[in-house]
Amino acid sequence: MTAAADSAKWLRRYVPAPEAGTRLVCFPHAGGVARFYRGMAMTLAPSAEVLAVQYPGRQDRFSEPLIPDVPGMAERIADVLAAELDAPPALFGHSMGASVAFETARLLDKRGLGVAALFVSGRRAPRLPLNGRKFDNDEDLIAAAKALGGPDPEVLDHPEILQLVLPALRNDWHAAMTYVYQEGPGLTCPLVALTGDADPHVDVDLLDRWGEHTTGPFTRHVYPGDHFYLAKHEATVCGVITSTLGSLAR
């Protein structure tokens, strides 16, 4: 497969902005899809072009094998980005996507492309034990997913749709909960950590621990809301992204 074809599988450009100063690569949560970032793409264009990651095993990639672990996801995405981009991108990840974005950033640094900035949302810092459960049955997993909310929680009530989304949700939840940080070189880019103040998976008091993973500037932002606080605060978060990326250009 050519690099262009591989890029088309992995990356979605909902609002193409070829003249944008920065590419912002966005990583979805467990069970999530690239379309989760369509609104962000519309808001940030044309100053930044959003490349939303579509993991395999869902929607138009349903027939492709799922990737069972965070490092494996990061490895594949880093391959695509290194072939696709000629300048360091910024990365944004929510929940499991924050872990994948972080590991992708480390790989891009190692491969010499680098990262302009890293935004991590709704996720504990890598060195902290994960605040979540592993599930032995689908019923408990579905109940946990419903409790977190999300952009379309009602899909879990439809048996036909559930059978389509459950394999990816099961795979990603396991990948997220079994992720273990491996010590290595830190990042040098600006790192921004964001969360909702009522997120059951993130301790606000420990959010600053993300700052341990970069020698660059670190900032934190806490918003009213739960794990999917982004639904109500997307415009404000886009303002933080714009301000951060704008400071890099000065």
Side-chain angles (χ1 to χ4, degrees):
M1 180 174 293
T2 67
D6 210 27
S7 172
K9 286 202 317 179
W10 281 90
L11 304 175
R12 302 288 179 271
R13 286 176 167 86
Y14 292 111
V15 186
E19 302 304 317
T22 305
R23 304 293 180 266
L24 178 70
V25 184
C26 293
F27 298 72
H29 52 281
V33 297
R35 192 174 179 81
F36 180 71
Y37 291 110
R38 186 174 183 275
M40 189 175 288
M42 296 175 67
T43 300
L44 291 174
S47 60
E49 181 180 53
V50 168
L51 309 180
V53 173
Q54 184 79 309
Y55 306 129
R58 63 212 75 202
Q59 292 192 330
D60 57 329
R61 302 190 68 185
F62 184 77
S63 63
E64 298 178 44
L66 293 156
I67 299 176
D69 58 85
V70 166
M73 293 183 193
E75 186 81 28
R76 293 294 304 280
I77 297 165
D79 288 344
V80 171
L81 295 179
E84 170 78 6
L85 303 177
D86 57 7
L91 308 183
F92 182 103
H94 179 67
S95 194
M96 179 195 75
S99 295
V100 182
F102 171 69
E103 291 296 340
T104 301
R106 299 174 82 190
L107 289 171
L108 292 179
D109 268 1
K110 184 177 180 180
R111 298 178 188 191
L113 179 61
V115 175
L118 174 63
F119 302 87
V120 288
S121 168
R123 189 69 162 164
R124 292 163 68 91
R127 288 193 177 98
L128 296 176
L130 294 174
N131 188 12
R133 290 176 53 200
K134 302 172 190 176
F135 296 102
D136 295 324
N137 61 77
D138 289 341
E139 290 74 17
D140 288 345
L141 172 60
I142 294 167
K146 286 182 178 180
L148 284 179
D152 299 301
E154 65 277 2
V155 303
L156 298 177
D157 292 322
H158 295 273
E160 297 84 0
I161 300 176
L162 179 61
Q163 292 311 305
L164 295 176
V165 302
L166 186 56
L169 177 61
R170 186 191 300 122
N171 174 86
D172 294 357
W173 195 289
H174 176 78
M177 290 302 117
T178 56
Y179 167 71
V180 177
Y181 170 72
Q182 300 295 322
E183 292 290 343
L187 302 174
T188 60
C189 65
L191 196 157
V192 181
L194 313 98
T195 192
D197 61 3
D199 189 335
H201 291 295
V202 180
D203 297 314
V204 173
D205 292 343
L206 298 177
L207 196 61
D208 288 349
R209 292 289 302 273
W210 272 105
E212 299 172 1
H213 295 281
T214 187
T215 58
F218 170 75
T219 54
R220 70 199 295 269
H221 298 270
V222 179
Y223 302 94
D226 55 18
H227 190 61
F228 284 97
Y229 74 94
L230 272 172
K232 293 183 178 179
H233 301 285
E234 184 175 83
T236 304
V237 170
C238 284
V240 170
I241 293 171
T242 300
S243 176
T244 302
L245 298 182
S247 69
L248 300 177
R250 292 198 289 269

